């Protein structure tokens, strides 16, 4: 009689799990392609819905013959399908076209201003974490009491308040009345000049400021970032607060927490050691959506604080009816959101045992 061998079962299970994880990640990565394709197509169609970009930006400013000549030179009198195929071909080679208003390659605009937007989004995410997660924990611990009610109302207000209104209010209080923070910009004029003297600047001011080795420059950059980061970060902080509160309360009722409570573990220790960390996992799963929210909010935030990033430039190009530039910026933001969601899916699959793959 042959004795069954069971020693290799864990190894086989591990290989199966590893293969499933790889398959899951490959599928998620491949989903980026149709997602970006749909977004690119939607933006292209919407940008052409009102006519060609030349007429939209220059109509009424040029004689009809000159306008027709420029439309022909740009190729906008060709069939829409031909334009679409050419546009996709350009995207595949990294060519986003040339802006109509200032005749700059769109890729140059993206690289020049992209760092500012990413820096602002990072600041805002830090603010959201520092405010939303601890306050959500407090709200859960003081459930259905006065602090909980106040924090829940505050979270709703933070999420519902328009970003531009929050920005104007913060400017009024801290820049005008108290005069303790700068009112606008990414840095003072002196700091801007010093940063531009660096070899190969990154465009991310905090990194470039650290590279100078001057604490005053670093402090100046951080001071200018406080109000824009707070205005944009409060939007996401409200989401994090409510999410942490809900999940901590839910975890409090889980079996392993009840078992620890029956052993005499204090409520404070239950919150700190048993209920808090599992409640943070859902935060990771919604970060991708919040990045999209931050990037959309960056348009109004950057305009309010004259933070010259992609959001600020997008508003300028919209006013100039420069559809080529608008199209390029929106496509880049869509790619960032798609890639961010993929990264979040990977992290969630690695740390959350509830994710099935």
């Amino acid at each position: 009689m042959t004795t069954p061998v069971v020693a290799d079962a864990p190894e086989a299970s591990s290989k199966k799990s590893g293969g499933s994880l790889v398959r899951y990640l490959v599928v998620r990565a491949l989903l980026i392609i149709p997602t970006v394709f749909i977004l690119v197509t939607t933006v292209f169609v919407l940008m052409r819905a009102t006519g060609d970009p030349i007429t939209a930006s220059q109509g009424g400013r040029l004689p009809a013959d000159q306008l027709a000549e420029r439309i022909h030179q740009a190729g906008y009198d060709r069939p829409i399908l031909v334009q679409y195929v050419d546009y996709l071909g350009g995207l595949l080679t990294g060519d986003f076209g040339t802006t109509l208003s200032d005749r700059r390659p769109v890729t140059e605009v993206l690289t020049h201003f992209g760092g500012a937007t990413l820096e602002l989004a990072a600041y805002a995410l830090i603010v959201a974490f520092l405010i939303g997660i601890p306050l959500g924990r407090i709200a859960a611990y003081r459930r259905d009491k006065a602090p909980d009610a106040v924090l829940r109302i505050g979270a709703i207000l933070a999420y519902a308040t328009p970003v531009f209104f929050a920005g104007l209010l913060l400017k009024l209080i801290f820049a005008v009345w108290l005069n303790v923070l700068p009112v606008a910009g990414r840095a003072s004029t002196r700091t801007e000049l010093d940063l531009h003297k660096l070899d190969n600047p990154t465009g991310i001011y905090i990194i470039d400021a650290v590279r100078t080795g001057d604490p005053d420059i670093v402090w100046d950059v951080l001071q200018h970032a406080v109000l824009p980061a707070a205005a944009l970060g409060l939007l996401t902080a409200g989401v994090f607060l409510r999410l942490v509160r809900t999940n901590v309360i839910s975890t409090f009722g889980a079996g392993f927490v009840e078992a620890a409570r029956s052993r005499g573990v204090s409520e404070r220790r239950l919150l700190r050691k048993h209920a808090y960390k599992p409640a943070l996992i859902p935060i990771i799963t919604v970060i991708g959506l919040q990045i999209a929210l931050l990037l959309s909010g960056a348009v109004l935030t950057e305009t309010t604080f004259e933070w010259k990033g992609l959001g600020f430039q997008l508003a300028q190009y919209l006013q100039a009816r420069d559809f080529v530039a608008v199209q390029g910026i929106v496509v880049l933001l869509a790619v960032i959101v798609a890639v961010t969601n993929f990264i979040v899916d990977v992290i969630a699959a690695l740390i959350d045992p509830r994710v099935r793959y």
Side-chain angles (χ1 to χ4, degrees), residues 163-211:
V163 175
F164 72 90
F165 179 77
L168 292 174
L169 190 61
L170 290 173
K171 287 173 67 172
L172 181 64
I173 296 173
F174 294 99
V176 179
W177 291 350
L178 300 179
N179 194 28
V180 294
L181 290 171
V183 68
R186 297 181 64 195
S188 63
T189 303
R190 174 183 172 277
T191 296
E192 294 264 7
L193 294 175
D194 289 336
L195 294 179
H196 285 130
K197 292 177 183 177
L198 288 173
D199 294 330
N200 300 318
T202 64
I204 301 177
Y205 274 15
I206 188 60
I207 295 178
D208 293 337
V210 172
R211 288 176 57 196

Side-chain angles (χ1 to χ4, degrees), residues 30-342:
L30 291 177
L31 284 175
I32 295 177
I33 298 174
T35 300
V36 173
F37 175 77
I38 292 172
L39 290 171
V40 166
T41 303
T42 302
V43 172
F44 181 88
V45 172
L46 290 177
M47 289 294 98
R48 300 302 191 278
T50 57
D52 65 90
I54 301 294
T55 302
S57 60
Q58 302 296 328
R61 302 179 184 178
L62 295 175
D65 57 338
Q66 295 184 19
L67 185 64
E69 182 180 356
R70 293 192 60 177
I71 292 174
H72 178 71
Q73 290 176 350
Y76 291 123
D77 55 350
R78 296 176 300 168
I80 190 70
L81 184 59
V82 175
Q83 296 182 45
Y84 177 65
V85 172
D86 285 350
Y87 179 67
L88 289 182
L91 290 183
L92 292 176
T93 60
D95 182 11
F96 286 75
T98 303
T99 63
L100 301 175
S101 54
D102 49 12
R103 308 304 301 171
R104 298 173 62 183
V106 176
T107 51
E108 179 184 320
V109 175
L110 300 179
T111 55
H112 184 75
F113 296 101
T117 297
L118 292 178
E119 184 178 11
L120 177 59
Y123 287 144
L125 202 57
I126 292 173
V127 170
F129 278 126
L130 293 178
I131 294 177
I133 293 178
L135 293 184
R137 179 178 173 178
I138 294 172
Y141 184 69
R142 306 289 292 176
R143 178 184 180 184
D144 296 331
K145 297 181 180 179
D148 179 30
V150 172
L151 290 173
R152 278 189 292 168
I153 292 173
I156 294 173
L157 291 176
Y159 183 76
T161 302
V163 175
F164 72 90
F165 179 77
L168 292 174
L169 190 61
L170 290 173
K171 287 173 67 172
L172 181 64
I173 296 173
F174 294 99
V176 179
W177 291 350
L178 300 179
N179 194 28
V180 294
L181 290 171
V183 68
R186 297 181 64 195
S188 63
T189 303
R190 174 183 172 277
T191 296
E192 294 264 7
L193 294 175
D194 289 336
L195 294 179
H196 285 130
K197 292 177 183 177
L198 288 173
D199 294 330
N200 300 318
T202 64
I204 301 177
Y205 274 15
I206 188 60
I207 295 178
D208 293 337
V210 172
R211 288 176 57 196
T212 65
D214 189 340
D216 292 335
I217 293 180
V218 175
W219 178 240
D220 181 65
V221 169
L222 290 176
Q223 279 186 310
H224 281 78
V226 171
L227 293 183
L232 187 55
L234 287 174
L235 179 69
T236 303
V239 177
F240 285 175
L241 191 157
R242 293 178 62 84
L243 192 59
V244 169
R245 175 189 178 274
T246 300
N247 284 280
V248 168
I249 291 174
S250 176
T251 308
F252 261 133
F256 69 92
V257 175
E258 291 294 339
R261 184 180 286 115
S262 67
R263 295 196 302 269
V265 179
S266 66
E267 291 296 314
R268 187 178 297 274
R269 183 175 177 82
L270 284 175
L271 173 64
R272 186 175 66 253
K273 295 293 185 180
H274 298 277
Y276 183 51
K277 291 182 180 179
L280 294 181
I281 293 178
I283 293 291
I284 297 174
T285 63
V286 301
I287 284 180
L289 296 176
Q290 298 311 309
I291 292 293
L293 186 65
L294 290 176
L295 291 177
S296 62
V299 177
L300 295 175
T301 306
E302 290 180 5
T303 303
T304 302
F305 290 96
E306 296 182 24
W307 184 281
K308 295 185 178 180
L310 288 178
F312 181 85
Q313 289 301 121
L314 181 61
Q316 300 298 311
Y317 285 130
L318 281 171
Q319 291 180 358
R321 300 181 66 81
D322 192 334
F323 288 174
V324 176
V326 171
Q327 192 169 256
I329 293 174
V330 172
V331 167
L332 176 64
L333 296 180
V335 171
I336 292 174
V337 171
V339 173
T340 301
N341 276 284
F342 168 70

